[in-house]
Amino acid sequence: MPETYDIGLGNNNSHLRQEADSDFVSFWDSQARNLSWFSLWTKTLDWNPPFARWFVGGTLNASYNALDIHQASKSAKTAILWEGEDGQSRNITYGELFIQVQKFANVLKSLGVQRGDRVTIYLPMVPELPIAMLACARIGATHTVIFSGFSAASIRDRVSDSQSKVIVTADGGYRRGQIINLKSMVDDAIKSLDFVNHVIVLERAKNKISMTPKDKLWGQLMADVSDLCNAEELPSDHPLYILYTSGTTGKPKGVLHGTGGYLTHLYSTFKWAFDIKDSDIFFCTADIGWVTGHSYVVYAPLLCGATQVMYEGAPDFPDVSRMWQILQKYQVTIFYTTPTAIRLFMKFGAEIPNSFDLSYLRLLGTVGEPINPEVWRWYFKIIGKERCPIIDTWWQTETGGMLISPLPGLETVSLKPGSAGHPIPGINIGIVDENGNDVPANTKGYLVVKNPWPGMLLSLWDDDEKYKTTYWSKYDGCYYSGDYAMRDDDGYLWLLGRADDVLNVAGHRIGTAELESCIVSHPSVVESAACGIPDDVKGETIIIFAVLRQGILGGTKLEQELTDKIRTDIGAIATPKHIYFVPKLPKTRSGKIMRRLLKAIGTNEEIGDTSTLEDGSAVTQVQHAFDEVHRRTK
Ligand code: PRX
């Protein structure tokens, strides 16, 4: 008998599945009516492959749906329970959030921001981050949030690509007790970007910063504006945001999301997956700089009028009990985090969470990476006390919201540790082989989506061609996710990692091509290959092989220099575990780097078939370089 856990939370709405199966378009049509529209659509779906437009002719506003609609009944209800890393806390009601968003929308307008403009937001996890996003949405500006762990060079690339004229940042942000000077990062990033007219600076950490003529303080700007700003009536496909994510090329792609379809997807999945009730205290640990934060910290909880905890800092600061302290303090009922965080907690033992009162918890979730069955069981037993369903939610920046997940808000769930379960209603998932044919049960294949869905990306920012080739060219009419998966005999889906050259480090996407182009732009390096090797906590960690210019000798100094370069050009999240200097890289006869061999060496595994290698000695040389580093670092 397979290991399954049946848990019901008293919901019996599986009939939605039949409705969705019989006609997914009219199914989503009825879901979209849960939102507030200024005018209803004339066409539910305009599918001009690969471009989908949902609710054509309808007009709405994301900020209106997140705030205005709650004012009559919930203005005194807490929207955000904010916990600063330094121990400060703030309680922000729906009424207060409404005022702050309108004021900041007026600030943006006063600086010349108009409907259709892009605004870059580079802020730590403070309430002003959702305030700035909602203010953009209110006036029809497209926000582009950059994770505050990214470097100046990464900001420059993204600001240049999106052509943002206004940047919102802070003096500093707290990370593990340190203050990161975000403002100086922005100063460096925009040095040569003349089109940036204004930088709005929130005073969060009160660290010393230098002000330039472009800079304005958030507090001062907010003091001078009215607290009334009507929400713009926007078409359903109005671009709500651009979020940059790593792919298989050297530069991140600007994933572009719309409004009506995206919000419909979030509203529905938040209810079905999290079973959200008015009395719940929801806590998603994701940083808003990533898609999970956009969708399930900012938009979904606010659309549903939920109360949520927002935490500013690292999960293990000042120690690994921090999360449990927060859960206990705010009596959190729904907790959504990553397998990486759970593996970290697990490493420190059950005694720590067991010493906190977690009895309010009623539902647990994970996202971002495959969860190993033993980690799932620990989460289920130690944190959920075998009472709470675990929803393992599979989705991507591009999908906007969850596509595969158990749905305890809809039906009794039957959970298998390590499986994300079934697709959500209205989503047609396929597992196919290289030729696009469905693979039999228990066979690994590529995960594709066979129908358009409301949360799907509109396109890539300013690059429809790349949108087509990246997602829609491998299989005709199907969205290619870049993931491997398998369906078992019971129809459960098992996610088996990336099928492309994208790494998943602690649930964050990092492209090998981005790492490689960073390394080869160093004058000492001619060629490089990055790959991921398994890591007990982060799931995957980065190692890099680099071929140096003639006459240049590798060593720990150069390794440090290259590591620093990655931190400066991309950000600390891309820090490699090791850089190995090798005379050549193993390649096929057609010149393709054989990452499989590099990975096998990095994990001390069997090298396997090398018949397609162009030069067999490359493997021996890589192995030698690898052994040498490990002998030295032992
Ligand atoms: O490989 C899959 C993995 O994360 C990738 C998407 O990354 P990103 O766009 O940054 O979004 C992360 C948060 C939604 C996917 O291609 N992934 C995401 N969720 C899961 C997962 N892998 C396994 N199980 C999941 N639940």
Side-chain angles (χ1 to χ4, degrees):
M1 272 295 279
E3 179 189 4
T4 57
Y5 300 88
D6 294 345
I7 305 183
L9 298 180
N11 299 302
N12 189 6
N13 289 311
S14 331
H15 62 90
L16 287 183
R17 290 199 181 271
Q18 281 99 56
E19 284 174 37
D21 287 347
S22 72
D23 182 347
F24 76 94
V25 178
S26 67
F27 170 74
W28 286 118
D29 182 292
S30 59
Q31 298 308 312
R33 289 167 200 272
N34 290 320
L35 302 177
S36 270
W37 295 78
F38 295 127
S39 57
L40 289 179
W41 50 97
T42 47
K43 191 170 185 193
T44 310
L45 171 64
D46 177 19
W47 180 222
N48 175 20
F51 298 96
R53 293 292 176 264
W54 286 89
F55 316 119
V56 183
T59 58
L60 79 169
N61 184 290
S63 146
Y64 185 91
N65 273 275
L67 299 169
D68 304 42
I69 59 156
H70 304 309
Q71 296 310 310
S73 59
K74 289 187 178 169
S75 77
K77 182 178 175 175
T78 299
I80 298 175
L81 292 158
W82 179 77
E83 172 90 358
E85 195 188 77
D86 58 354
Q88 282 186 42
S89 56
R90 287 161 72 182
N91 178 336
I92 301 167
T93 63
Y94 273 90
E96 286 156 357
L97 198 59
F98 187 42
I99 291 173
Q100 294 302 312
V101 168
Q102 291 184 82
K103 289 182 80 168
F104 197 66
N106 283 329
V107 164
L108 293 174
K109 278 186 178 175
S110 74
L111 297 179
V113 178
Q114 294 179 353
R115 182 172 169 156
D117 288 347
R118 274 80 54 211
V119 173
T120 290
I121 306 175
Y122 183 65
L123 282 172
M125 280 288 282
V126 289
E128 285 75 11
L129 173 47
I131 289 170
M133 293 162 76
L134 292 164
C136 289
R138 198 161 188 86
I139 62 171
T142 301
H143 58 72
T144 151
V145 177
I146 303 179
F147 172 56
S148 61
F150 278 119
S151 66
S154 295
I155 305 170
R156 184 170 48 243
D157 287 349
R158 288 157 172 78
V159 172
S160 306
D161 190 67
S162 62
Q163 292 284 301
S164 300
K165 292 190 217 105
V166 172
I167 300 182
V168 186
T169 189
D171 48 5
Y174 286 89
R175 199 68 189 171
R176 290 211 167 76
Q178 307 269 322
I179 293 174
I180 316 276
N181 192 326
L182 301 176
K183 170 67 169 57
S184 74
M185 214 82 91
V186 171
D187 290 343
D188 287 350
I190 62 166
K191 252 179 207 143
S192 54
L193 305 182
D194 296 337
F195 59 85
V196 176
N197 299 328
H198 304 284
V199 177
I200 304 175
V201 187
L202 174 79
E203 289 174 287
R204 159 64 187 122
K206 307 274 185 321
N207 48 310
K208 210 168 157 339
I209 52 170
S210 53
M211 295 290 278
T212 73
K214 287 186 180 178
D215 302 335
K216 316 253 166 349
L217 292 177
W218 173 295
Q220 282 174 5
L221 291 168
M222 290 288 265
D224 293 339
V225 288
S226 137
D227 57 11
L228 285 178
C229 175
N230 280 337
E232 285 269 324
E233 262 192 48
L234 302 168
S236 178
D237 65 352
H238 186 77
L240 180 61
Y241 67 83
I242 304 169
L243 183 57
Y244 288 88
T245 188
S246 296
T248 49
T249 57
K251 287 258 176 260
K253 306 173 293 220
V255 170
L256 183 68
H257 278 292
T259 306
Y262 175 73
L263 297 184
T264 299
H265 194 132
L266 295 189
Y267 182 92
S268 305
T269 49
F270 199 62
K271 298 237 161 181
W272 301 335
F274 293 112
D275 185 39
I276 196 79
K277 300 280 189 287
D278 205 33
S279 53
D280 274 314
I281 308 289
F282 176 76
F283 180 22
C284 166
T285 61
D287 192 292
I288 293 173
W290 307 101
V291 75
T292 309
H294 278 61
S295 296
Y296 296 104
V297 177
V298 181
Y299 289 108
L302 296 177
L303 291 179
C304 295
T307 296
Q308 70 173 313
V309 174
M310 176 177 171
Y311 172 54
E312 182 184 35
D316 54 350
F317 186 83
D319 58 56
V320 277
S321 70
R322 187 67 190 263
M323 279 298 123
W324 316 125
Q325 272 175 35
I326 296 176
L327 263 70
Q328 175 177 278
K329 176 173 170 186
Y330 295 106
Q331 305 185 342
V332 169
T333 58
I334 303 173
F335 184 52
Y336 189 36
T337 193
T338 59
T340 287
I342 305 165
R343 285 190 291 261
L344 176 77
F345 302 140
M346 204 174 148
K347 207 168 110 180
F348 287 88
E351 298 72 36
I352 301 175
N354 281 345
S355 63
F356 289 88
D357 177 10
L358 306 180
S359 59
Y360 290 89
L361 280 174
R362 65 181 198 90
L363 196 152
L364 302 171
T366 70
V367 60
E369 324 148 57
I371 178 162
N372 342 30
E374 66 278 20
V375 176
W376 192 101
R377 288 187 201 101
W378 188 88
Y379 196 31
F380 185 66
K381 198 163 157 214
I382 306 298
I383 308 304
K385 305 286 183 256
E386 302 187 21
R387 287 182 291 108
C388 306
I390 295 182
I391 54 166
D392 172 1
T393 63
W394 179 88
W395 55 293
Q396 307 178 301
T397 305
E398 294 84 345
T399 70
M402 302 166 190
L403 294 193
I404 306 171
S405 173
L407 300 174
L410 199 71
E411 60 211 356
T412 293
V413 289
S414 194
L415 307 165
K416 290 193 190 186
S419 163
H422 304 273
I424 67 163
I427 303 297
N428 187 352
I429 297 283
I431 314 243
V432 299
D433 63 18
E434 203 56 53
N435 302 316
N437 301 315
D438 290 324
V439 297
N442 301 314
T443 310
K444 182 172 170 178
Y446 299 102
L447 192 154
V448 298
V449 190
K450 296 187 171 182
N451 285 333
W453 65 98
M456 80 186 237
L457 68 171
L458 295 177
S459 184
L460 290 177
W461 172 250
D462 210 16
D463 205 342
D464 286 348
E465 271 317 301
K466 193 160 173 198
Y467 166 69
K468 286 187 203 162
T469 51
T470 311
Y471 306 107
W472 301 92
S473 64
K474 190 166 167 79
Y475 303 111
D476 201 26
C478 278
Y479 168 84
Y480 171 64
S481 69
D483 271 24
Y484 284 126
M486 187 190 86
R487 208 189 292 262
D488 69 14
D489 289 325
D490 304 323
Y492 282 67
L493 293 161
W494 298 80
L495 282 310
L496 303 173
R498 296 289 303 192
D500 55 12
D501 291 334
V502 172
L503 309 179
N504 189 336
V505 179
H508 298 142
R509 262 161 81 165
I510 299 169
T512 48
E514 249 170 274
L515 286 159
E516 289 160 9
S517 73
C518 164
I519 288 285
V520 296
S521 66
H522 187 282
S524 303
V525 180
V526 282
E527 202 177 18
S528 86
C531 62
I533 56 167
D535 182 89
D536 284 350
V537 173
K538 294 182 192 168
E540 202 168 33
T541 187
I542 302 165
I543 57 170
I544 292 178
F545 296 87
V547 180
L548 299 178
R549 213 166 276 289
Q550 277 273 309
I552 307 259
L553 288 178
T556 44
K557 192 162 162 279
L558 185 57
E559 184 177 353
Q560 190 55 50
E561 209 175 304
L562 293 172
T563 303
D564 290 345
K565 180 163 171 41
I566 291 173
R567 294 171 70 99
T568 313
D569 290 2
I570 304 175
I573 51 158
T575 308
K577 189 169 180 191
H578 281 299
I579 300 178
Y580 305 96
F581 299 112
V582 293
K584 63 166 83 110
L585 292 168
K587 290 188 184 163
T588 59
R589 281 182 204 101
S590 57
K592 207 168 166 323
I593 296 170
M594 293 182 75
R595 274 172 224 283
R596 178 179 63 76
L597 299 185
L598 295 172
K599 207 168 172 148
I601 292 172
T603 46
N604 283 317
E605 274 168 17
E606 276 296 307
I607 300 241
D609 180 20
T610 55
S611 56
T612 50
L613 257 183
E614 176 231 48
D615 174 359
S617 71
V619 171
T620 328
Q621 288 167 344
V622 169
Q623 183 74 58
H624 179 75
F626 180 81
D627 293 343
E628 183 59 23
V629 168
H630 290 274
R631 193 184 46 73
R632 223 181 330 114
T633 53
K634 238 184 207 153

